[in-house]
Structures are given as structure tokens and as C-alpha cells.
Amino acid sequence: MRRNAIFIVLFCSALFAAAQQPTLLVDIDHRPATSLDGEWHYIVDPYHAGWGSSTSNSDVPSPRGYARDGHYVTGGPLIEYDFAKSPTIHVPGDWNTQKENLLYYEGLLWYERDFEFHPRPRTHVFLHIGAANYAAHAFVDDVHVCDHEGGFTPFDCEITDAVKDGVNFVVIAVDNARALDHVPTIKSDWWNYGGLTRDVSIVEVPDAYIDDETLYLTKSGDIQGYAHITGGTTGSKVSMRIPDLQLNGSATTDSDGRASFSVHPNGLERWSPEHPRLYKVEFTAGEDHLTDDIGFRTIEVQGDEILLNGKSIFLRGVSVHAEAPFRSGRASSDEDVSTLLGWAKELHCNFVRLVHYPHDERMTRLADKLGILVWSEIPVYWSIDWTNQHTYDVAKQQLHEMIRRDRDKASVILWSLSNETPISDARTKFIGDLATEARHEDPTRLITSAMLTPMHDKTAVLNDPLGAYLDVLGYNEYIGWYMGKPEDAPSFKWEDPMHKPVIISEFGGSAKAGLHGPADQRFTEEYQAEIYKEQFAMFREMPFLRGIAPWVLMDFRSPVRLLAGIQDGYNRKGLVSDKGEKKKAFFILQDYYAGLAK
Ligand code: GCU
């Protein structure tokens, strides 16, 4: 008996474990798709019963698992779950803020919904998931179609062989349990919102299809790039059109499926914050057509300056978490992103630091339209498990997915590899290797990281060894909050021995909206405002400073901010409260930026 049981588990694990690796199709928001957003049934499963094998602790799908989507009928066979009888929850969205009893829930939760689909002949069908925090296992009609790790980047599961003509069902297990070898790891200063937090849809493409494309402006003024075709034959013709520039490019695929373009535009309007001009681009490869809206600009560093379209620029920024204004939870709607970027515009920002993970593609698309430059970051945050190969592979995969999704966004100028990671050789090697990956994947953008500022006796010497791998140095400092008094700031000396452009990627302090008092009383709006005023005086003495991104645009939920009556589970360093109340510092910064913008 026992031997047979082991054989069955091994056979099942071999069968089920062979789920495909997901892929990533770009410009999904420009493709026709069947949206699966809406109400999904869910089952909360802290003990992983849904994997169907009560005795083994390993999460291997088995015939009794929830992926089968069984329905219990009285008198029928024993089934101890039934999605159809289970409550529903909205997708996209985190589960924590939708159900009171799930606010603190971290663990496994199963999603299920039915969908009708009629596949066309000679096509590939994909289940597109905008993001699922943290680990996801997807099944269509009880076929294990893919697994994914990483809570903030999109992935596409091929379901061509699983989906049938008519009614289908999809089951997705999402697990946001924290672990040391994850990215991010166990500790963070933001809420670990779990679930299918971004759009889910079904996308159908022809047999040979465009799964990647990028076009960029070279320093010599040419538009270069490529389209990548999967399922095609070497030598297949691919065309690229930019109607507004009367530009037509044609190329054939090489043995890797890549068709490269190089055309010289006349009368190109370069993209910039003052003039965020986007061009419609059309790619055609056989039966597949893909469009995109792309802005063309150059970005580079020269000594300690950042040049946008050849001109030195100062980044008037703010740091932004993907926290939904007014309702709290993971930001996921057009309204959420337009409120957040609307406030940034009101501040006269030309730059946002999207922290500490890639945000919804809506954010970078809107930044493209509004003319707001973007710093995009992967959640290599605080103390990651630097010597763990799996951790490195997950970080690299998230980097790849972040770049692949947003490589076509003119607004995105900086790829950030990490935030506030303590200096060690293992750490510097880990992130240094990621820098090499990023440069290989996208040689057209700048590489940065947010580092802790080394302070000795009121002197900041910006010599973190990681800086050697970066184009732009991001440094976080909290003079006036975690260190000293607000008025100490102007007396700090700053040195940039690497002679690279520096961004103060975080500074600030907390204030409870509406709490007023003397400027030396913490948590008052006056204290926060004082910090800003003193920082501005300090910045005037930093000739290599090329940008700032105050911490933070809006108060956000955090599991480590528990001062009752003031924080109540929120980081209160926002310039705006989570309810949209603008604090004094908001207007201080607005005036400062209005002056700089002139
Ligand atoms: C850190 C960190 C943020 C955090 C902030 C704070 O520097 O990067 O994630 O929220 O400081 O302490 O408020």
C-alpha cells in the first residue's frame, strides 16, 4: 500500500510540477483581450489544504486539490470545498482591504472564476496576469499552466492546450507569505497586500506573434530598435510604421526571431516633460499587428550632470508608493494613478520615484502622457539573502520583467536596483551583477540605486562602493527626523568623490494631518514643514545634486508604524494624508519647485 501511495505522489508531482515557465508579452494594453476582471470566488487556505494532499507538507497539486474546481452535491462524492458556494472578491485588488478579516492575512488564498472563450484556429492563447503578490500558481480547466514568483511584475501563461471552446474555469493560488529568500524579504515598511492586484485577461495571438519590441532615439538622432517574433521562421518580414513621421521601416527576423530597425526621422518632436509628445507606432509581422505609443528622447550622464535631450536637467521629484488614495489598498485603477500623478503635477514635479517595486503599467503610461520622468525600482529592499542563488534569480527575473514591460516608456529614465541595503561584499556583488544584467537588457537608460548616506561628524561622503556600478547615485537621508534637528541640515557638508550625478532619493519627516503646534514638536505639520525648509537650504550647497524625491507623496499603510492616535498603521511622512488632506509641507515644496521650474 505505502509504496503505491509514494508512486502516485511522485507520478502526480512529475505530472503537475511540469508547469511551463510563464512568458511576458509586451503592450498587452494595446492588444484586444478578454478581461477577467471582476468578482472571483475565493477560499482562504492557511493550511494549504487546497493542494489536496493532507499528509505531505509539500505544495504539489493532486487530484483532490482545488485546481479541479469540484462541486459538492448532497449524496455525491466527498468534496470538501466548493468555489461556487464560496464568497467573492474583486480583481484587480488586494484581499487585505476588501475583507476586514483579511486585513492582516498573509498566506495562501485560492481564486476561481469561469469564463467563456472561443479560440480561433492557428492561434496561441495566454492567461495574462498584471501582478500577483507574491507567488502564484495558475490552472485552467485543471491543467497546471504556470507558476510565478514576485508580486509586482506581469506574466503570461500559455493556455493554448488547456483552454477549450466554450465555458472554462481558471483557478489561481496566490500566496503572500513572507520568507527570507524572497524579494522583498521578511521586513518592509509597507503593507504586504496580497492577491491578484492588477488586471487579469485572456489574450489570443496568431501562430507567429510579436512578444517584444523596443524603439529608442540614438544620440545621433536615429530611431533604432527591434521587434521580436515568436513562432516565426528566420527571414520573416516585419514592418514598422510611424504615420505622423511618414516613417516606414522593414526588416527580416534573424535566427533569434529579432527584426532590427534603424530609420532617420525628419521633423521629430522630442519627448520631454514640457512637451510629452507620443507617436503611434505600428508593427506588422505576418498576421500579427501590434501598436504602441512611444515618445522619443535621449537620456545620459555627463560628469555629474544628467542630460535629457542633450540638456542638463534637475529632477523635481517625489517618492510615491502604489497606495490607493482615499480608500487605501494597492493602487490599481486609472483613478488611483491619475490622483497620485495629479498631486505630483500640482507640486510642479517633473519626476517621480516609484517605490519600492514596479508600479501598475497605468502609472508609467500616464507619466508618458503627462510628461513626468520616472525612477522605477525592484524590491531589493533592506537585508536581502545576498548569497542565496534562488534569491538572486528571483531578483534578476523581476528586473527582466520590469525592463521588458516598460522599456517602451519615454518617461522611464532610471532603473533602480535596490533600496537602503547595508554595505557588504556579498550585497555589492549581488547588486553589481544586477547592474550588468540591466545594462545588457537596456543600454539606453540610466542605472541607479537608493543607498544609505554614510555620515561622519556632519559630513556625508558619498562613497558607497555600489556607486561604482551606477550611473546616478541615489542617497536617502533623514536629517531632522531620524538624525538631529531640522535646523541642523544646513550645517552638513556633502562630498561626491565619484563625481557622479546625485539624487537625494529620500528625506522628510512625519506629520499627522491637522496636528498643529510649535515647529520643534514632532508629528506636527509645522515640524515637517521645518524639515523641508532646512533641507532646501542644505541643497543649495550641493553643486552635484541633480534631483530630489522627498519621502513621500501620500501617507501609506505600514505594519511597522503603530503609534496610536498618530500613525495607527500608517507611515505619516506623506505631504498628503491618505484621505487627501494636503499638509503644510505640500505647499512649501510646491513653492520651492515653482521657483526651480522658472
Ligand atoms: C526608509 C525606507 C522607506 C521607509 C522610510 C521611512 O528610508 O526606504 O521605505 O518608509 O525610510 O522610514 O519612513
Side-chain angles (χ1 to χ4, degrees):
M1 163 41 214
R2 195 167 141 59
R3 205 156 40 72
N4 296 347
I6 294 170
F7 168 75
I8 291 167
V9 169
L10 285 175
F11 170 74
C12 297
S13 59
L15 179 65
F16 285 105
Q20 293 158 39
Q21 276 311 306
T23 181
L24 199 168
L25 301 180
V26 299
D27 307 332
I28 286 286
D29 57 357
H30 281 63
R31 281 195 181 275
T34 306
S35 173
L36 296 185
D37 290 351
E39 295 307 301
W40 290 53
H41 291 285
Y42 73 95
I43 296 176
V44 183
D45 184 14
Y47 278 64
H48 294 213
W51 291 112
S53 115
S54 43
T55 52
S56 100
N57 293 330
S58 64
D59 290 344
V60 177
S62 78
R64 287 180 35 225
Y66 295 179
R68 174 154 292 201
D69 195 16
H71 296 290
Y72 175 68
V73 286
T74 311
L78 173 60
I79 293 180
E80 297 178 291
Y81 70 94
D82 191 333
F83 285 108
K85 295 188 176 65
S86 304
T88 63
I89 198 164
H90 191 77
V91 171
D94 60 276
W95 60 62
N96 310 74
T97 56
Q98 291 192 61
K99 307 290 174 183
E100 214 172 320
N101 62 357
L102 294 179
L103 180 61
Y104 290 91
Y105 182 63
E106 296 182 293
L108 179 61
L109 185 145
W110 296 79
Y111 287 84
E112 185 278 348
R113 68 159 289 172
D114 297 350
F115 65 96
E116 178 141 358
F117 194 74
H118 304 285
R120 298 192 309 272
R122 293 184 313 287
T123 63
H124 290 267
V125 185
F126 290 90
L127 170 66
H128 171 77
I129 297 174
N133 191 44
Y134 174 77
H137 310 275
F139 303 81
V140 168
D141 299 346
D142 197 17
V143 176
H144 191 179
V145 288
C146 80
D147 300 318
H148 183 267
E149 186 172 341
F152 303 98
T153 43
F155 55 101
D156 295 281
C157 315
E158 170 121 32
I159 64 170
T160 310
D161 302 334
V163 75
K164 56 182 187 292
D165 190 13
V167 178
N168 298 269
F169 61 86
V170 51
V171 172
I172 306 179
V174 181
D175 191 339
N176 74 335
R178 286 170 288 128
L180 194 61
D181 66 348
H182 285 185
V183 180
T185 183
I186 292 176
K187 290 238 172 115
S188 75
D189 187 13
W190 71 82
W191 207 267
N192 181 25
Y193 292 126
L196 296 172
T197 55
R198 294 182 191 153
D199 301 325
V200 179
S201 61
I202 304 287
V203 178
E204 187 171 23
V205 292
D207 239 352
Y209 56 95
I210 305 164
D211 61 358
D212 189 14
E213 54 89 357
T214 185
L215 286 178
Y216 53 89
L217 187 65
T218 66
K219 293 193 187 91
S220 57
D222 292 331
I223 291 178
Q224 291 185 351
Y226 63 82
H228 182 270
I229 316 302
T230 289
T233 49
T234 305
S236 307
K237 182 169 173 292
V238 183
S239 70
M240 179 274 289
R241 288 185 65 232
I242 309 180
D244 287 4
L245 290 170
Q246 287 91 39
L247 266 180
N248 294 293
S250 172
T252 55
T253 54
D254 61 19
S255 54
D256 294 332
R258 187 182 275 206
S260 302
F261 301 97
S262 180
V263 291
H264 187 76
N266 294 317
L268 175 78
E269 296 165 50
R270 290 189 179 214
W271 184 98
S272 70
E274 299 72 29
H275 187 64
R277 174 65 156 104
L278 298 173
Y279 287 90
K280 184 152 295 301
V281 178
E282 298 163 0
F283 293 94
T284 302
E287 290 171 52
D288 197 22
H289 305 282
L290 182 63
T291 64
D292 197 0
D293 296 294
I294 301 179
F296 297 101
R297 52 98 188 101
T298 61
I299 188 76
E300 59 195 300
V301 293
Q302 206 168 67
D304 64 15
E305 296 197 81
I306 300 174
L307 307 185
L308 176 71
N309 294 323
K311 281 205 295 306
S312 182
I313 188 168
F314 185 86
L315 303 172
R316 305 186 308 272
V318 70
S319 295
V320 184
H321 255 296
E323 180 86 29
F326 309 114
R327 64 179 171 84
S328 161
R330 187 56 74 219
S332 61
S333 68
D334 293 335
E335 198 191 350
D336 292 339
V337 299
S338 57
T339 301
L340 293 169
L341 291 186
W343 284 329
K345 271 288 195 186
E346 236 181 289
L347 283 167
H348 305 297
C349 287
N350 61 3
F351 173 61
V352 286
R353 179 187 172 207
L354 302 183
V355 294
H356 293 290
Y357 36 77
H359 286 213
D360 194 303
E361 190 168 7
R362 284 178 173 81
M363 198 69 157
T364 48
R365 285 284 186 205
L366 186 57
D368 260 13
K369 290 196 185 94
L370 294 178
I372 299 181
L373 296 158
V374 169
W375 159 312
S376 184
E377 183 165 295
I378 52 172
V380 173
Y381 180 90
W382 290 348
S383 300
I384 292 281
D385 194 354
W386 306 114
T387 55
N388 183 317
Q389 185 59 42
H390 172 73
T391 303
Y392 179 78
D393 294 344
V394 171
K396 190 172 99 177
Q397 173 215 310
Q398 293 186 40
L399 178 68
H400 163 71
E401 291 168 346
M402 172 175 77
I403 294 178
R404 177 127 165 188
R405 189 199 76 184
D406 280 350
R407 189 170 31 209
D408 62 334
K409 315 289 188 310
S411 57
V412 179
I413 56 168
L414 288 155
W415 299 124
S416 172
L417 307 174
S418 65
N419 179 74
E420 292 196 350
T421 50
I423 297 177
S424 74
D425 293 350
R427 164 264 198 179
T428 303
K429 167 140 183 31
F430 185 110
I431 305 174
D433 290 350
L434 289 176
T436 308
E437 286 292 332
R439 291 186 197 290
H440 173 70
E441 185 108 16
D442 179 5
T444 72
R445 282 183 177 80
L446 306 177
I447 307 299
T448 190
S449 267
M451 297 169 278
L452 293 161
T453 302
M455 295 278 192
H456 305 289
D457 310 334
K458 289 197 170 182
T459 301
V461 182
L462 305 180
N463 58 2
D464 182 320
L466 179 58
Y469 297 89
L470 310 175
D471 302 304
V472 173
L473 311 179
Y475 278 97
N476 297 354
E477 51 89 6
Y478 281 92
I479 301 167
W481 187 255
Y482 294 126
M483 166 191 284
K485 297 190 179 62
E487 59 273 21
D488 296 341
S491 61
F492 274 73
K493 297 279 163 286
W494 292 77
E495 295 169 13
D496 176 23
M498 295 185 179
H499 304 298
K500 291 186 176 185
V502 169
I503 294 176
I504 294 293
S505 34
E506 288 182 32
F507 73 89
S510 292
K512 168 92 173 146
L515 181 61
H516 294 285
D520 61 1
Q521 181 189 325
R522 280 181 185 277
F523 294 110
T524 61
E525 291 193 27
E526 286 71 20
Y527 189 106
Q528 184 189 44
E530 199 57 28
I531 288 176
Y532 278 71
K533 283 185 233 160
E534 299 291 353
Q535 292 278 325
F536 299 158
M538 180 180 74
F539 295 151
R540 276 189 279 277
E541 307 309 319
M542 299 164 69
F544 42 76
L545 185 65
R546 300 301 171 205
I548 59 175
W551 191 264
V552 63
L553 178 63
M554 186 187 81
D555 293 355
F556 59 95
R557 214 185 265 278
S558 165
V560 298
R561 307 294 171 178
L562 305 172
L563 177 57
I566 289 188
Q567 295 177 322
D568 299 315
Y570 280 81
N571 183 311
R572 297 285 181 202
K573 294 191 179 72
L575 293 159
V576 185
S577 77
D578 52 300
K579 296 286 175 277
E581 304 146 295
K582 294 181 180 117
K583 305 175 192 177
K584 268 196 171 168
F586 181 97
F587 303 103
I588 302 273
L589 183 66
Q590 188 182 47
D591 290 350
Y592 179 66
Y593 280 171
L596 289 182
K598 270 205 216 82

